[in-house]
Amino acid sequence: MTATAFAALHRAGEPLLLPCAWDHASAFALAAQGFGAVATTSLGVAAAGGLPDGASATRDETLRLALTLGSAPFLLSVDAEDGFSDDPDEVGECARELAAVGAVGINLEDALGPADRHAAKIAAVRSAAPGLFVNARTDTYWSGDGDRAETMRRLEVYREAGAHGVFVPGLTDPARIAALAAHFDVPLNVLYSPAGPALAHLTDLGVRRVSLGSLLYRRALGAALETAAGIRAGRDPGGAAPTYDEVRALG
């Protein structure tokens, strides 16, 4: 399992649909459904551990999960938030540890901090773990005002620093997606949104990676709440659920 194989999945006309797991069972269940690559979701990892997401609080939990999944028979990409540090050398060391346990990709978000600092983190990762596919995320649409010029500026800086792919979560406008996909010579990654373009439309727009982010974790949590509330109200639970033996077999 190599980063080269992972990079090859980012194809024009057939983008990588990347589901995101939060533990061993969810990752192996997704792989059993035919997903050859699985990522982690920082929200799911943080929430499962009772920790805040996006606060550099889950480095140990993330590494522990990567250790569990890195030798699995699927390609693993890890959501490392902002690298869990503002120090590029520390981010590089985190990436080295992830690569050492078998991860082939890393997702790094800028959290709208200085673009040059994020670029330095990307460069440090490329140096410390040259085999990792670096997906550079900007939060201009996720937590910013969606400024097109600023988005382009940041992504160009990250590409120049060595990012293998660029990621703009929160972007759902088809014209803007198509413009970014056409501009860059590396894969554009977008976050799937039920309110945004469907997978087939994203494919036509030139997107080469579609991440599911925390959607699966939130849907699983929602299904658990709906099931518990329904039983309390006297209703039989609906929807699909794996059997006890099927889940046990994932161990």
Side-chain angles (χ1 to χ4, degrees), residues 29-208:
L30 288 165
Q33 288 294 308
F35 290 97
V38 176
T40 63
T41 163
S42 66
L43 177 62
V45 173
L51 297 167
D53 184 35
S56 298
T58 59
R59 185 183 192 277
D60 291 345
E61 288 75 11
T62 300
L63 288 171
R64 196 155 41 239
L65 180 58
L67 178 61
T68 300
L69 302 179
S71 59
F74 52 80
L75 298 164
L76 175 67
S77 183
V78 176
D79 183 349
E81 297 187 8
D82 65 350
F84 307 116
S85 175
D86 285 338
D87 182 341
D89 289 337
E90 291 183 4
V91 176
E93 174 57 21
C94 179
R96 187 197 65 76
E97 293 180 45
L98 290 172
V101 299
V104 297
I106 186 172
N107 191 74
L108 289 175
E109 61 196 50
D110 65 11
L112 294 185
D116 58 347
R117 184 176 68 198
H118 199 59
K121 293 181 184 183
I122 293 167
V125 170
R126 289 296 309 270
S127 177
L132 278 184
F133 184 101
V134 181
N135 198 44
R137 164 177 157 172
T138 184
D139 288 328
T140 49
Y141 281 82
W142 188 248
S143 54
D145 59 7
D147 183 89
R148 282 180 285 183
E150 178 64 6
T151 299
M152 189 72 76
R153 183 187 75 83
R154 285 176 176 266
L155 294 183
E156 287 177 341
V157 169
Y158 305 158
R159 175 67 184 99
E160 183 67 24
H164 298 97
V166 291
F167 183 22
V168 191
L171 175 60
T172 58
D173 179 77
R176 296 188 182 188
I177 291 172
L180 284 176
H183 180 81
F184 287 97
D185 63 347
V186 296
L188 173 66
N189 180 194
V190 299
L191 183 69
Y192 172 79
S193 169
L199 180 60
H201 192 185
L202 292 172
T203 300
D204 292 340
L205 295 173
V207 172
R208 285 194 269 166

